[in-house]
Amino acid sequence: MTTENRPTRFPAGVVIAAAIALAFMIAWSAVHWPEMAPTIVTREAGGSHGASIIPRGFSASAMPVTLVLVSSLMAISPWVNTKFSSLTSMPMPRYDRSTARVRTATQAGLCLVMCAMHVFVVGLHTGSETSALTLVAMSLGALLVLLGIYLPIAQSDVETNDSWLNALIVAQRSMSRSAGISMVVVGLATIAGTTASPWLGLAIGGSGAVAITVTLLVASLVRAIRLSRPRHRHP
């Protein structure tokens, strides 16, 4: 099953989420611009290096530019997949309504984190970065919860002539529900930990996400190896 001859859905949810987040970032920068220090020093001069100085213009535009780049990549990825499949005859997952919902949820979570990061970066110039760090940790927890809810939906429908690849897809499908539940638990733990300390929340969220990703990858590979082994029938 390939993406060839399939209509490509316009990722409206991705664009809408990005537009809302970008509008918030621009408004936040505009409101706090008069309060922002013209420059901040992130590293004092010493030894063989000079001081690292960041102007407020860079800080105010860093996350908006990042948002535009990430959102553009997510928006064009369905067309890239379709084009790549048609050029290489390699089957790729179709971009249907389920995939669109997953992509929109992922984009919404990323926008939330990037908006929180923007508030934090602006706060470095206004002296309110400590409270903004709590917002960053909370948004990370929310992102993990969203990913956990939608991870079981993000299942590939690709069928290939490669038995190993088919086995890997089957293995990933069988473990996506458990991984999703684990991701939700880590996300909630991140939010709970943030109430005690934002650094604790970030540590829980970051380490938990890495642990789940590595475990899912290793377990899927092990299961795929078992599934792809030829079965010997004994008389």
Side-chain angles (χ1 to χ4, degrees):
M1 190 178 297
T2 68
T3 53
E4 193 172 357
N5 298 327
R6 287 177 178 166
T8 303
R9 299 175 59 87
F10 178 74
V14 171
V15 176
I16 292 172
I20 294 173
L22 185 61
F24 169 81
M25 290 180 182
I26 293 174
W28 189 267
S29 296
V31 169
H32 292 85
W33 183 263
E35 305 170 14
M36 295 175 66
T39 59
I40 57 172
V41 178
T42 58
R43 186 179 66 173
E44 298 290 345
S48 59
H49 62 81
S52 296
I53 300 175
I54 301 178
R56 61 179 175 177
F58 177 84
S59 298
S61 60
M63 292 313 301
V65 171
T66 302
L67 171 66
V68 171
L69 291 176
V70 171
S71 301
S72 298
L73 290 175
M74 291 191 67
I76 67 174
S77 60
W79 286 278
V80 173
N81 285 346
T82 301
K83 189 65 175 178
F84 180 79
S85 180
S86 63
L87 291 175
T88 63
S89 298
M90 181 179 296
M92 299 291 288
R94 63 182 177 182
Y95 188 74
D96 55 13
R97 290 185 178 181
S98 295
T99 307
R101 287 198 295 268
V102 172
R103 197 177 296 267
T104 299
T106 303
Q107 172 74 351
L110 288 174
C111 286
L112 185 62
V113 172
M114 284 189 279
C115 283
M117 285 295 299
H118 182 67
V119 172
F120 172 75
V121 172
V122 171
L124 293 174
H125 289 261
T126 62
S128 59
E129 69 274 11
T130 302
S131 58
L133 188 62
T134 300
L135 184 62
V136 173
M138 287 285 189
S139 65
L140 175 61
L143 172 61
L144 294 177
V145 171
L146 276 174
L147 291 178
I149 292 173
Y150 283 91
L151 181 61
I153 304 176
Q155 298 181 3
S156 174
D157 65 338
V158 173
E159 297 176 4
T160 72
N161 296 323
D162 189 329
S163 60
W164 156 252
L165 184 57
N166 288 334
L168 183 61
I169 293 172
V170 171
Q172 182 272 327
R173 286 176 181 171
S174 65
M175 301 195 63
S176 60
R177 183 175 179 83
S178 298
I181 293 174
S182 300
M183 195 73 77
V184 170
V185 171
V186 170
L188 294 176
T190 299
I191 295 173
T194 302
T195 59
S197 167
W199 290 111
L200 176 61
L202 290 172
I204 293 174
S207 60
V210 171
I212 292 172
T213 302
V214 172
T215 301
L216 176 62
L217 177 60
V218 173
S220 297
L221 289 173
V222 171
R223 183 173 176 80
I225 292 172
R226 293 176 179 176
L227 291 174
S228 61
R229 284 177 181 172
R231 298 181 180 180
H232 301 285
R233 295 184 178 180
H234 297 283

PDB file of all heavy atoms in Angstrom, residues 151 168 171-172 174-176 178-180 182-183 186 207-224:
ATOM      1  N   LEU A 151      -0.352   8.754  20.610  1.00  0.00           N
ATOM      2  CA  LEU A 151       0.631   7.795  20.108  1.00  0.00           C
ATOM      3  C   LEU A 151      -0.012   6.508  19.577  1.00  0.00           C
ATOM      4  O   LEU A 151       0.383   6.026  18.504  1.00  0.00           O
ATOM      5  CB  LEU A 151       1.656   7.460  21.200  1.00  0.00           C
ATOM      6  CG  LEU A 151       2.764   6.474  20.802  1.00  0.00           C
ATOM      7  CD1 LEU A 151       3.582   7.044  19.637  1.00  0.00           C
ATOM      8  CD2 LEU A 151       3.668   6.168  21.993  1.00  0.00           C
ATOM      9  N   LEU A 168       8.690  -5.186  11.976  1.00  0.00           N
ATOM     10  CA  LEU A 168       8.952  -4.021  12.816  1.00  0.00           C
ATOM     11  C   LEU A 168       7.700  -3.166  12.970  1.00  0.00           C
ATOM     12  O   LEU A 168       7.410  -2.658  14.060  1.00  0.00           O
ATOM     13  CB  LEU A 168      10.089  -3.199  12.210  1.00  0.00           C
ATOM     14  CG  LEU A 168      10.537  -1.970  13.014  1.00  0.00           C
ATOM     15  CD1 LEU A 168      11.050  -2.374  14.387  1.00  0.00           C
ATOM     16  CD2 LEU A 168      11.611  -1.194  12.256  1.00  0.00           C
ATOM     17  N   ALA A 171       5.373  -4.917  15.349  1.00  0.00           N
ATOM     18  CA  ALA A 171       5.882  -4.809  16.712  1.00  0.00           C
ATOM     19  C   ALA A 171       5.594  -3.432  17.293  1.00  0.00           C
ATOM     20  O   ALA A 171       5.205  -3.296  18.460  1.00  0.00           O
ATOM     21  CB  ALA A 171       7.385  -5.088  16.716  1.00  0.00           C
ATOM     22  N   GLN A 172       5.779  -2.404  16.476  1.00  0.00           N
ATOM     23  CA  GLN A 172       5.512  -1.039  16.942  1.00  0.00           C
ATOM     24  C   GLN A 172       4.037  -0.849  17.255  1.00  0.00           C
ATOM     25  O   GLN A 172       3.677  -0.220  18.257  1.00  0.00           O
ATOM     26  CB  GLN A 172       5.975  -0.036  15.883  1.00  0.00           C
ATOM     27  CG  GLN A 172       5.807   1.435  16.268  1.00  0.00           C
ATOM     28  CD  GLN A 172       4.433   1.986  15.896  1.00  0.00           C
ATOM     29  OE1 GLN A 172       3.856   1.578  14.901  1.00  0.00           O
ATOM     30  NE2 GLN A 172       3.925   2.900  16.706  1.00  0.00           N
ATOM     31  N   SER A 174       1.928  -3.127  18.242  1.00  0.00           N
ATOM     32  CA  SER A 174       1.546  -3.888  19.434  1.00  0.00           C
ATOM     33  C   SER A 174       1.985  -3.196  20.721  1.00  0.00           C
ATOM     34  O   SER A 174       1.400  -3.439  21.781  1.00  0.00           O
ATOM     35  CB  SER A 174       2.148  -5.291  19.366  1.00  0.00           C
ATOM     36  OG  SER A 174       3.564  -5.236  19.423  1.00  0.00           O
ATOM     37  N   MET A 175       2.994  -2.338  20.645  1.00  0.00           N
ATOM     38  CA  MET A 175       3.519  -1.699  21.848  1.00  0.00           C
ATOM     39  C   MET A 175       3.121  -0.236  21.980  1.00  0.00           C
ATOM     40  O   MET A 175       3.437   0.407  22.977  1.00  0.00           O
ATOM     41  CB  MET A 175       5.050  -1.797  21.852  1.00  0.00           C
ATOM     42  CG  MET A 175       5.575  -3.209  21.809  1.00  0.00           C
ATOM     43  SD  MET A 175       7.316  -3.297  22.242  1.00  0.00           S
ATOM     44  CE  MET A 175       7.261  -2.716  23.934  1.00  0.00           C
ATOM     45  N   SER A 176       2.436   0.306  20.982  1.00  0.00           N
ATOM     46  CA  SER A 176       2.124   1.736  20.996  1.00  0.00           C
ATOM     47  C   SER A 176       1.186   2.113  22.139  1.00  0.00           C
ATOM     48  O   SER A 176       1.314   3.182  22.730  1.00  0.00           O
ATOM     49  CB  SER A 176       1.515   2.154  19.655  1.00  0.00           C
ATOM     50  OG  SER A 176       0.319   1.443  19.409  1.00  0.00           O
ATOM     51  N   SER A 178       0.889   0.654  25.175  1.00  0.00           N
ATOM     52  CA  SER A 178       1.640   0.668  26.434  1.00  0.00           C
ATOM     53  C   SER A 178       2.549   1.894  26.505  1.00  0.00           C
ATOM     54  O   SER A 178       2.661   2.542  27.557  1.00  0.00           O
ATOM     55  CB  SER A 178       2.474  -0.610  26.564  1.00  0.00           C
ATOM     56  OG  SER A 178       1.643  -1.749  26.587  1.00  0.00           O
ATOM     57  N   ALA A 179       3.197   2.209  25.386  1.00  0.00           N
ATOM     58  CA  ALA A 179       4.067   3.385  25.360  1.00  0.00           C
ATOM     59  C   ALA A 179       3.272   4.665  25.566  1.00  0.00           C
ATOM     60  O   ALA A 179       3.725   5.595  26.245  1.00  0.00           O
ATOM     61  CB  ALA A 179       4.824   3.437  24.034  1.00  0.00           C
ATOM     62  N   GLY A 180       2.068   4.716  24.984  1.00  0.00           N
ATOM     63  CA  GLY A 180       1.227   5.892  25.159  1.00  0.00           C
ATOM     64  C   GLY A 180       0.805   6.094  26.602  1.00  0.00           C
ATOM     65  O   GLY A 180       0.849   7.213  27.125  1.00  0.00           O
ATOM     66  N   SER A 182       2.394   5.005  29.226  1.00  0.00           N
ATOM     67  CA  SER A 182       3.597   5.402  29.968  1.00  0.00           C
ATOM     68  C   SER A 182       3.890   6.877  29.764  1.00  0.00           C
ATOM     69  O   SER A 182       4.286   7.588  30.703  1.00  0.00           O
ATOM     70  CB  SER A 182       4.789   4.556  29.516  1.00  0.00           C
ATOM     71  OG  SER A 182       4.559   3.186  29.752  1.00  0.00           O
ATOM     72  N   MET A 183       3.698   7.365  28.531  1.00  0.00           N
ATOM     73  CA  MET A 183       3.960   8.769  28.240  1.00  0.00           C
ATOM     74  C   MET A 183       2.991   9.678  28.999  1.00  0.00           C
ATOM     75  O   MET A 183       3.395  10.733  29.509  1.00  0.00           O
ATOM     76  CB  MET A 183       3.840   9.019  26.744  1.00  0.00           C
ATOM     77  CG  MET A 183       4.437  10.328  26.268  1.00  0.00           C
ATOM     78  SD  MET A 183       6.241  10.324  26.259  1.00  0.00           S
ATOM     79  CE  MET A 183       6.568   9.375  24.764  1.00  0.00           C
ATOM     80  N   VAL A 186       4.135   9.783  32.646  1.00  0.00           N
ATOM     81  CA  VAL A 186       5.313  10.647  32.791  1.00  0.00           C
ATOM     82  C   VAL A 186       4.908  12.119  32.682  1.00  0.00           C
ATOM     83  O   VAL A 186       5.407  12.976  33.429  1.00  0.00           O
ATOM     84  CB  VAL A 186       6.386  10.303  31.738  1.00  0.00           C
ATOM     85  CG1 VAL A 186       7.501  11.341  31.732  1.00  0.00           C
ATOM     86  CG2 VAL A 186       6.971   8.926  32.008  1.00  0.00           C
ATOM     87  N   SER A 207      13.950  12.941  31.280  1.00  0.00           N
ATOM     88  CA  SER A 207      14.464  11.577  31.451  1.00  0.00           C
ATOM     89  C   SER A 207      13.397  10.539  31.139  1.00  0.00           C
ATOM     90  O   SER A 207      13.687   9.487  30.551  1.00  0.00           O
ATOM     91  CB  SER A 207      14.989  11.387  32.872  1.00  0.00           C
ATOM     92  OG  SER A 207      13.957  11.599  33.825  1.00  0.00           O
ATOM     93  N   GLY A 208      12.154  10.822  31.508  1.00  0.00           N
ATOM     94  CA  GLY A 208      11.073   9.877  31.236  1.00  0.00           C
ATOM     95  C   GLY A 208      10.811   9.709  29.753  1.00  0.00           C
ATOM     96  O   GLY A 208      10.619   8.579  29.265  1.00  0.00           O
ATOM     97  N   ALA A 209      10.815  10.813  29.021  1.00  0.00           N
ATOM     98  CA  ALA A 209      10.586  10.745  27.574  1.00  0.00           C
ATOM     99  C   ALA A 209      11.697   9.961  26.878  1.00  0.00           C
ATOM    100  O   ALA A 209      11.434   9.142  25.986  1.00  0.00           O
ATOM    101  CB  ALA A 209      10.482  12.151  26.999  1.00  0.00           C
ATOM    102  N   VAL A 210      12.937  10.211  27.282  1.00  0.00           N
ATOM    103  CA  VAL A 210      14.067   9.477  26.688  1.00  0.00           C
ATOM    104  C   VAL A 210      13.969   7.997  27.008  1.00  0.00           C
ATOM    105  O   VAL A 210      14.173   7.131  26.142  1.00  0.00           O
ATOM    106  CB  VAL A 210      15.409  10.051  27.200  1.00  0.00           C
ATOM    107  CG1 VAL A 210      16.573   9.158  26.772  1.00  0.00           C
ATOM    108  CG2 VAL A 210      15.605  11.463  26.681  1.00  0.00           C
ATOM    109  N   ALA A 211      13.638   7.679  28.266  1.00  0.00           N
ATOM    110  CA  ALA A 211      13.540   6.275  28.679  1.00  0.00           C
ATOM    111  C   ALA A 211      12.458   5.539  27.905  1.00  0.00           C
ATOM    112  O   ALA A 211      12.662   4.397  27.450  1.00  0.00           O
ATOM    113  CB  ALA A 211      13.269   6.198  30.182  1.00  0.00           C
ATOM    114  N   ILE A 212      11.315   6.173  27.728  1.00  0.00           N
ATOM    115  CA  ILE A 212      10.208   5.532  27.004  1.00  0.00           C
ATOM    116  C   ILE A 212      10.583   5.338  25.538  1.00  0.00           C
ATOM    117  O   ILE A 212      10.320   4.277  24.949  1.00  0.00           O
ATOM    118  CB  ILE A 212       8.929   6.379  27.127  1.00  0.00           C
ATOM    119  CG1 ILE A 212       8.424   6.351  28.565  1.00  0.00           C
ATOM    120  CG2 ILE A 212       7.846   5.862  26.184  1.00  0.00           C
ATOM    121  CD1 ILE A 212       7.281   7.306  28.823  1.00  0.00           C
ATOM    122  N   THR A 213      11.197   6.346  24.939  1.00  0.00           N
ATOM    123  CA  THR A 213      11.582   6.250  23.522  1.00  0.00           C
ATOM    124  C   THR A 213      12.590   5.129  23.298  1.00  0.00           C
ATOM    125  O   THR A 213      12.444   4.322  22.370  1.00  0.00           O
ATOM    126  CB  THR A 213      12.177   7.587  23.048  1.00  0.00           C
ATOM    127  OG1 THR A 213      11.223   8.632  23.250  1.00  0.00           O
ATOM    128  CG2 THR A 213      12.544   7.510  21.572  1.00  0.00           C
ATOM    129  N   VAL A 214      13.616   5.072  24.146  1.00  0.00           N
ATOM    130  CA  VAL A 214      14.636   4.026  24.008  1.00  0.00           C
ATOM    131  C   VAL A 214      14.034   2.647  24.244  1.00  0.00           C
ATOM    132  O   VAL A 214      14.310   1.694  23.506  1.00  0.00           O
ATOM    133  CB  VAL A 214      15.807   4.283  24.982  1.00  0.00           C
ATOM    134  CG1 VAL A 214      16.778   3.105  24.976  1.00  0.00           C
ATOM    135  CG2 VAL A 214      16.532   5.575  24.610  1.00  0.00           C
ATOM    136  N   THR A 215      13.192   2.536  25.269  1.00  0.00           N
ATOM    137  CA  THR A 215      12.560   1.243  25.575  1.00  0.00           C
ATOM    138  C   THR A 215      11.672   0.785  24.425  1.00  0.00           C
ATOM    139  O   THR A 215      11.693  -0.395  24.043  1.00  0.00           O
ATOM    140  CB  THR A 215      11.732   1.350  26.866  1.00  0.00           C
ATOM    141  OG1 THR A 215      12.574   1.752  27.947  1.00  0.00           O
ATOM    142  CG2 THR A 215      11.080   0.012  27.202  1.00  0.00           C
ATOM    143  N   LEU A 216      10.885   1.713  23.871  1.00  0.00           N
ATOM    144  CA  LEU A 216      10.013   1.367  22.751  1.00  0.00           C
ATOM    145  C   LEU A 216      10.826   0.916  21.547  1.00  0.00           C
ATOM    146  O   LEU A 216      10.482  -0.078  20.888  1.00  0.00           O
ATOM    147  CB  LEU A 216       9.146   2.575  22.377  1.00  0.00           C
ATOM    148  CG  LEU A 216       8.233   2.409  21.150  1.00  0.00           C
ATOM    149  CD1 LEU A 216       7.230   1.293  21.383  1.00  0.00           C
ATOM    150  CD2 LEU A 216       7.515   3.710  20.833  1.00  0.00           C
ATOM    151  N   LEU A 217      11.918   1.613  21.269  1.00  0.00           N
ATOM    152  CA  LEU A 217      12.755   1.260  20.124  1.00  0.00           C
ATOM    153  C   LEU A 217      13.391  -0.114  20.309  1.00  0.00           C
ATOM    154  O   LEU A 217      13.319  -0.967  19.412  1.00  0.00           O
ATOM    155  CB  LEU A 217      13.841   2.323  19.936  1.00  0.00           C
ATOM    156  CG  LEU A 217      14.853   2.070  18.808  1.00  0.00           C
ATOM    157  CD1 LEU A 217      14.156   1.973  17.465  1.00  0.00           C
ATOM    158  CD2 LEU A 217      15.913   3.159  18.788  1.00  0.00           C
ATOM    159  N   VAL A 218      13.993  -0.340  21.478  1.00  0.00           N
ATOM    160  CA  VAL A 218      14.670  -1.620  21.723  1.00  0.00           C
ATOM    161  C   VAL A 218      13.671  -2.771  21.743  1.00  0.00           C
ATOM    162  O   VAL A 218      13.897  -3.825  21.125  1.00  0.00           O
ATOM    163  CB  VAL A 218      15.450  -1.562  23.052  1.00  0.00           C
ATOM    164  CG1 VAL A 218      16.013  -2.942  23.404  1.00  0.00           C
ATOM    165  CG2 VAL A 218      16.573  -0.543  22.971  1.00  0.00           C
ATOM    166  N   ALA A 219      12.551  -2.570  22.438  1.00  0.00           N
ATOM    167  CA  ALA A 219      11.547  -3.634  22.521  1.00  0.00           C
ATOM    168  C   ALA A 219      10.952  -3.942  21.157  1.00  0.00           C
ATOM    169  O   ALA A 219      10.694  -5.117  20.835  1.00  0.00           O
ATOM    170  CB  ALA A 219      10.452  -3.224  23.503  1.00  0.00           C
ATOM    171  N   SER A 220      10.729  -2.911  20.341  1.00  0.00           N
ATOM    172  CA  SER A 220      10.187  -3.140  18.997  1.00  0.00           C
ATOM    173  C   SER A 220      11.178  -3.909  18.133  1.00  0.00           C
ATOM    174  O   SER A 220      10.791  -4.813  17.382  1.00  0.00           O
ATOM    175  CB  SER A 220       9.841  -1.807  18.339  1.00  0.00           C
ATOM    176  OG  SER A 220       8.826  -1.127  19.044  1.00  0.00           O
ATOM    177  N   LEU A 221      12.454  -3.571  18.246  1.00  0.00           N
ATOM    178  CA  LEU A 221      13.475  -4.276  17.476  1.00  0.00           C
ATOM    179  C   LEU A 221      13.567  -5.745  17.893  1.00  0.00           C
ATOM    180  O   LEU A 221      13.654  -6.643  17.043  1.00  0.00           O
ATOM    181  CB  LEU A 221      14.837  -3.589  17.648  1.00  0.00           C
ATOM    182  CG  LEU A 221      15.008  -2.229  16.974  1.00  0.00           C
ATOM    183  CD1 LEU A 221      16.334  -1.598  17.371  1.00  0.00           C
ATOM    184  CD2 LEU A 221      14.907  -2.354  15.460  1.00  0.00           C
ATOM    185  N   VAL A 222      13.539  -5.992  19.202  1.00  0.00           N
ATOM    186  CA  VAL A 222      13.614  -7.375  19.697  1.00  0.00           C
ATOM    187  C   VAL A 222      12.401  -8.174  19.238  1.00  0.00           C
ATOM    188  O   VAL A 222      12.525  -9.311  18.764  1.00  0.00           O
ATOM    189  CB  VAL A 222      13.714  -7.385  21.234  1.00  0.00           C
ATOM    190  CG1 VAL A 222      13.579  -8.817  21.769  1.00  0.00           C
ATOM    191  CG2 VAL A 222      15.035  -6.784  21.691  1.00  0.00           C
ATOM    192  N   ARG A 223      11.236  -7.581  19.349  1.00  0.00           N
ATOM    193  CA  ARG A 223      10.021  -8.277  18.930  1.00  0.00           C
ATOM    194  C   ARG A 223      10.006  -8.502  17.416  1.00  0.00           C
ATOM    195  O   ARG A 223       9.554  -9.538  16.928  1.00  0.00           O
ATOM    196  CB  ARG A 223       8.795  -7.484  19.358  1.00  0.00           C
ATOM    197  CG  ARG A 223       7.473  -8.169  19.031  1.00  0.00           C
ATOM    198  CD  ARG A 223       6.306  -7.430  19.635  1.00  0.00           C
ATOM    199  NE  ARG A 223       5.039  -8.026  19.258  1.00  0.00           N
ATOM    200  CZ  ARG A 223       4.514  -9.100  19.816  1.00  0.00           C
ATOM    201  NH1 ARG A 223       5.163  -9.712  20.800  1.00  0.00           N
ATOM    202  NH2 ARG A 223       3.347  -9.569  19.419  1.00  0.00           N
ATOM    203  N   ALA A 224      10.498  -7.517  16.665  1.00  0.00           N
ATOM    204  CA  ALA A 224      10.546  -7.665  15.209  1.00  0.00           C
ATOM    205  C   ALA A 224      11.474  -8.799  14.804  1.00  0.00           C
ATOM    206  O   ALA A 224      11.189  -9.547  13.856  1.00  0.00           O
ATOM    207  CB  ALA A 224      10.999  -6.352  14.569  1.00  0.00           C
TER     208      ALA A 224
END
